Amino acid sequence: MIIGFVQTKGGTGKSTLAVNTTFSKTMSKAFESIALVELDPQGTLKSWWGEREDMGYETEKVSFHHISSTQKEVFQQGIKSIATYNDLMIMDIPGEGTGKLHTRFACAFCDLVIIPMRMSTNDESAFMANLYPIIKQIIQAAPEKNGRFHVIPVFTHPLMNLEKCFSYYEEILPHYVTCLKAVYPARTVYENFNRRGLNLNEYAAIVKSNKKFKQQVEKAIEDVELISKTILSVSKE
Ligand SMILES: Nc1ncnc2c1ncn2[C@@H]1O[C@H](COP(=O)(O)OP(=O)(O)OP(=O)(O)O)[C@@H](O)[C@H]1O
Ligand SMILES: [Mg+2]
């Protein structure tokens, strides 16, 4: 299976979501080999993976790949070959800066495309102007890909009423795009943990003696497992 987290707008949680779902227990149980693929020339995950390697952390079933070639063939072949050798591939797909062709190819290649979007008119209009035209093109070229595009509400208030949240998104989302029935709440824990090359579970083990931190990480882990389970159930629809 191939899952992509994509947004043309920056700073919406693509990379963090890609990492956390990759290392979730849910995905680890469901797949034998998992490839985390960064298509972003920024290389956020590449530096993070480098830190992991320096620290000697276990990678378990996960391999990491960074592809940012501007050459179309290199880019496309890279993605295809990683997909061939892994049961699950999770891609961190940027928008602006990489060129629309790359974004379109990567999104069209996915079985499931997850679009992190904040509840803000800024994010909505950026989505309609930049990413939505790409989605429409993909579906017009291949109508069977309708149903693959899902927005995930991100940085929501942890106590937000979820029913209200989902119906808000359903109302503003255009054709071909639905709202995933899971949210990615804002949590302070994300400000620190991934700088040290850790994943959430490893961070939880490190802060287990600090009650306040421990509770926060546990909640974040619950969010991620629920997101991963929801993604898997949508993939089976
Ligand atoms: N659930 C969360 N709550 C609060 N902050 C978060 C959360 N998830 C991620 N962040 C923080 O938000 C910022 C953006 O996250 P991230 O790098 O994952 O987004 P991105 O979409 O990949 O950004 P870019 O467009 O720069 O690649 C980071 O500083 C990250 O630590
Ligand atoms: Mg990123």
Side-chain angles (χ1 to χ4, degrees), residues 6 9 34 54 57 85 87-88 126 140 158 180 197 209:
V6 66
K9 192 150 189 341
I34 306 176
D54 292 346
Y57 295 134
Y85 293 105
D87 297 331
L88 172 66
Q140 274 154 14
L180 200 73
S209 55

Side-chain angles (χ1 to χ4, degrees), residues 9-16 40 42 155 184-187 190 194:
K9 192 150 189 341
T12 52
K14 294 180 288 297
S15 303
T16 318
D40 194 342
Q42 234 186 176
F155 306 158
Y184 182 53
R187 303 216 185 264
Y190 291 101
N194 57 0

Side-chain angles (χ1 to χ4, degrees), residues 98-142:
T98 327
K100 287 205 160 61
L101 276 180
H102 281 12
T103 305
R104 191 171 73 200
F105 175 81
C107 288
F109 196 67
C110 289
D111 300 308
L112 217 52
V113 176
I114 311 292
I115 306 156
M117 195 197 280
R118 281 171 290 223
M119 205 182 235
S120 90
T121 44
N122 250 346
D123 275 30
E124 285 159 42
S125 44
F127 169 73
M128 290 309 289
N130 301 314
L131 188 55
Y132 189 55
I134 300 175
I135 295 174
K136 270 202 300 201
Q137 276 180 351
I138 292 172
I139 294 173
Q140 274 154 14

Side-chain angles (χ1 to χ4, degrees), residues 26 181-183 221-231:
T26 303
K181 296 292 179 285
V183 298
I221 291 174
E222 272 174 38
D223 299 336
V224 169
E225 296 300 337
L226 188 61
I227 291 168
S228 304
K229 283 189 187 122
T230 311
I231 290 175

Side-chain angles (χ1 to χ4, degrees), residues 28-128:
S28 174
K29 257 186 226 157
F31 300 95
E32 278 312 310
S33 55
I34 306 176
L36 172 62
V37 183
E38 175 177 59
L39 305 180
D40 194 342
Q42 234 186 176
T44 314
L45 298 185
K46 194 178 175 187
S47 343
W48 175 82
W49 191 266
E51 281 182 69
R52 282 190 74 74
E53 284 184 333
D54 292 346
M55 299 298 289
Y57 295 134
E58 254 313 304
T59 58
E60 293 155 34
K61 299 173 171 188
V62 179
S63 61
F64 175 74
H65 313 261
H66 175 91
I67 308 175
S68 63
S69 173
T70 50
Q71 277 178 283
K72 191 174 151 204
E73 277 71 30
V74 177
F75 184 84
Q76 299 189 351
Q77 275 313 317
I79 291 178
K80 283 180 188 164
S81 85
I82 298 164
T84 310
Y85 293 105
N86 289 279
D87 297 331
L88 172 66
M89 169 156 120
I90 293 187
M91 291 196 277
D92 177 4
I93 312 173
E96 280 139 320
T98 327
K100 287 205 160 61
L101 276 180
H102 281 12
T103 305
R104 191 171 73 200
F105 175 81
C107 288
F109 196 67
C110 289
D111 300 308
L112 217 52
V113 176
I114 311 292
I115 306 156
M117 195 197 280
R118 281 171 290 223
M119 205 182 235
S120 90
T121 44
N122 250 346
D123 275 30
E124 285 159 42
S125 44
F127 169 73
M128 290 309 289

